[in-house]
Amino acid sequence: EAAVTQSPRNKVTVTGGNVTLSCRQTNSHNYMYWYRQDTGHGLRLIHYSYGAGNLQIGDVPDGYKATRTTQEDFFLLLELASPSQTSLYFCASSVNWGLSYEQYFGPGTRLTVL
Amino acid sequence: SQWGEENLQALSIQEGEDVTMNCSYKTYTTVVHWYRQDSGRGPALIILIRSNEREKRSGRLRATLDTSSQSSSLSITAAQCEDTAVYFCATANTGANTGKLTFGHGTILRVHP
């Protein structure tokens, strides 16, 4: 079974702070995704990648950067965190791109920006 | 229904009852994903249904897909307490040739003993 891990699981920072969320998948999946989950909005795609060094913009990218350093590792960066970025963040991976491919999600990181 | 401007829905039922959750979408699609999210965990795929299937079963779960009405449903037969979770549908615009999933707002299902 696909394994996706995230760290940290909880993070508290202040407005203007610098935050890095980490994600690792161990099943050699090509695609990785970052989502945020907020009540009333469901899951929204921030960024995604189809391989090391690649980055694609999602639906809500403002205020976020991301970097895929290896096939396994995908990072989400908030360089000037704002309270509006308080949310539950999920990383996911899939073997390929397209509707027929299941996405495997990590356990999530709860970020609070004070 | 999970799509559009609807708020997150909540359903509360007794153990042993049947329940159906609905999902309507606005784009042309041929595949709908149904995910389940348990408290404190990430979503996990429970059923993937394609347009040529119309209905798909997995244990006590049954999903339907009607592309003409752009809707899908997920039914649980004889619900159990462990079915308590949030259920999401997700799909993408097949006509736009994108695999980028768009998730519905979800349905909170609570099954009481």
Side-chain angles (χ1 to χ4, degrees):
Chain A
E1 186 172 330
V4 181
T5 57
Q6 295 182 235
S7 62
R9 294 297 310 278
N10 290 281
K11 176 72 176 179
V12 179
T13 190
V14 296
T15 299
N18 201 324
V19 176
T20 298
L21 306 185
S22 302
C23 176
R24 167 167 283 199
Q25 56 94 6
T26 58
N27 281 277
S28 301
H29 284 175
N30 294 313
Y31 282 81
M32 296 185 74
Y33 312 83
W34 277 107
Y35 292 91
R36 61 178 289 173
Q37 185 176 39
D38 305 288
T39 302
H41 290 281
L43 284 156
R44 293 182 290 175
L45 182 64
I46 304 171
H47 290 299
Y48 63 102
S49 166
Y50 58 71
N54 174 264
L55 181 65
Q56 302 294 317
I57 295 172
D59 298 322
V60 289
D62 293 346
Y64 301 97
K65 293 184 179 180
T67 181
R68 180 96 175 262
T69 54
T70 65
Q71 186 172 29
E72 295 79 19
D73 297 302
F74 196 27
F75 300 92
L76 185 68
L77 297 81
L78 292 74
E79 294 184 334
L80 287 172
S82 72
S84 65
Q85 294 176 308
T86 293
S87 188
L88 182 57
Y89 290 87
F90 287 101
C91 177
S93 72
S94 63
V95 64
N96 212 331
W97 176 252
L99 268 177
S100 293
Y101 298 98
E102 175 180 358
Q103 291 191 16
Y104 295 84
F105 285 81
T109 294
R110 185 166 295 281
L111 175 66
T112 302
V113 184
L114 301 175
Chain B
S1 179
Q2 289 193 21
W3 230 263
E5 299 301 317
E6 295 91 341
N7 292 328
L8 179 66
Q9 293 190 320
L11 296 174
S12 186
I13 62 172
Q14 296 297 123
E15 202 169 29
E17 292 182 354
D18 299 340
V19 63
T20 296
M21 292 163 272
N22 297 301
C23 170
S24 60
Y25 50 89
K26 297 181 179 179
T27 59
Y28 171 72
T29 191
T30 57
V31 181
V32 172
H33 296 213
W34 281 94
Y35 285 81
R36 165 187 171 139
Q37 184 175 17
D38 294 309
S39 180
R41 304 187 70 172
L45 184 72
I46 51 176
I47 283 187
L48 187 155
I49 181 168
R50 296 180 171 82
S51 56
N52 62 353
E53 295 175 307
R54 295 188 62 82
E55 174 182 298
K56 191 165 187 178
R57 294 178 183 268
S58 176
R60 294 182 293 106
L61 304 177
R62 172 179 171 264
T64 65
L65 174 58
D66 184 346
T67 54
S68 63
S69 64
Q70 294 183 291
S71 64
S72 178
S73 70
L74 176 70
S75 299
I76 303 176
T77 302
Q80 301 172 4
C81 291
E82 52 264 37
D83 295 324
T84 293
V86 181
Y87 293 83
F88 296 95
C89 62
T91 189
N93 188 339
T94 308
N97 195 28
T98 174
K100 190 168 60 174
L101 288 179
T102 298
F103 287 80
H105 296 155
T107 298
I108 301 172
L109 175 66
R110 293 188 178 93
V111 183
H112 301 281

